[in-house]
């Protein structure tokens, strides 16, 4: 690939094409009906169909059955496994996992989401973990290893 500089810059394809002008005579190829076709609802002025309109056929969104509901009180937690905590505690000699520390280590995607610690894997080192929620088995595993599970309210 050639080096780009001001002498060899080019516009992207189709960037310099003129706007489609309809109804400007037969020679343009878009005269007479102005690309609307002959007769029918779409050819009339002011015509705009609703989204999903299928020409009178029952639309897909009405043909499919409705199921369930959306719980407006749903609380979503970001999941953090004990196996990852144990791995990092062993590698980096970390004894306390605060929220800021967890985010800094890249264990969570969202910076200000809620965190729940789950018991997948084993933890042998005593660590203090700060989180919004713990599974019962995760809390037991942390305390069994000599650490503390601190709830953030």
């Amino acid at each position: 690939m050639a080096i780009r500089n001001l002498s060899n810059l080019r516009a992207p394809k189709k960037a310099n094409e003129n706007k489609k002008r309809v109804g400007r005579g037969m020679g343009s190829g878009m005269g007479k009906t102005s690309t609307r076709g002959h007769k029918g609802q779409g050819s009339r002025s002011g015509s705009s169909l609703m989204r999903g309109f299928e020409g009178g056929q029952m639309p897909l969104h009405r043909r499919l059955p409705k199921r369930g509901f959306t719980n407006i009180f749903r609380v979503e937690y970001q999941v953090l496994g004990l196996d990852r905590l144990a791995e990092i505690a062993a590698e980096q000699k970390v004894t306390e996992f605060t929220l800021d520390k967890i985010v800094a280590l890249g264990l969570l995607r969202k910076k200000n989401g809620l965190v729940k610690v789950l018991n997948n894997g084993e933890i042998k080192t005593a660590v203090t973990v700060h989180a919004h929620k713990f599974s019962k088995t995760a809390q037991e595993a942390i305390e069994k290893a000599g650490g503390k599970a601190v709830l953030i309210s």
Side-chain angles (χ1 to χ4, degrees):
M1 194 167 120
I3 296 171
R4 291 230 166 134
N5 56 32
L6 290 176
S7 68
N8 60 13
L9 279 181
R10 294 181 68 187
K13 289 177 187 163
K14 304 243 177 187
N16 296 331
E17 288 191 6
N18 294 330
K19 191 170 152 258
K20 175 157 91 169
R21 295 179 74 220
V22 296
R24 295 292 184 272
M26 296 292 105
S28 69
M30 294 170 210
K32 195 179 177 225
T33 56
S34 302
T35 71
R36 285 166 172 258
H38 293 273
K39 300 183 182 173
Q41 188 176 2
S43 71
R44 314 293 185 205
S45 69
S47 156
S48 63
L49 301 171
M50 68 167 215
R51 266 182 322 168
F53 184 68
E54 298 182 21
Q57 172 176 306
M58 186 61 67
L60 182 67
H61 69 89
R62 289 192 56 200
R63 287 198 303 263
L64 297 176
K66 307 291 176 276
R67 259 187 72 87
F69 74 107
T70 304
N71 182 0
I72 60 168
F73 301 108
R74 179 187 168 102
V75 178
E76 283 206 28
Y77 290 92
Q78 293 180 83
V79 175
L80 185 57
L82 274 186
D83 53 349
R84 291 287 290 130
L85 290 178
E87 200 178 290
I88 286 170
E91 283 175 13
Q92 301 183 11
K93 306 282 186 268
V94 180
T95 56
E96 187 166 16
F97 289 95
T98 61
L99 271 185
D100 296 330
K101 184 89 168 185
I102 291 168
V103 170
L105 290 166
L107 294 172
L108 298 179
R109 286 172 182 235
K110 294 184 208 149
K111 192 175 174 184
N112 44 11
L114 301 174
V115 181
K116 182 171 183 176
V117 178
L118 299 182
N119 182 25
N120 43 356
E122 290 180 42
I123 190 159
K124 293 184 175 85
T125 53
V127 290
T128 306
V129 185
H130 298 262
H132 298 97
K133 212 170 196 182
F134 293 88
S135 69
K136 194 183 279 184
T137 53
Q139 191 164 358
E140 288 167 5
I142 291 168
E143 287 165 0
K144 186 178 162 192
K148 277 198 281 187
V150 181
L151 276 174
I152 303 169
S153 55

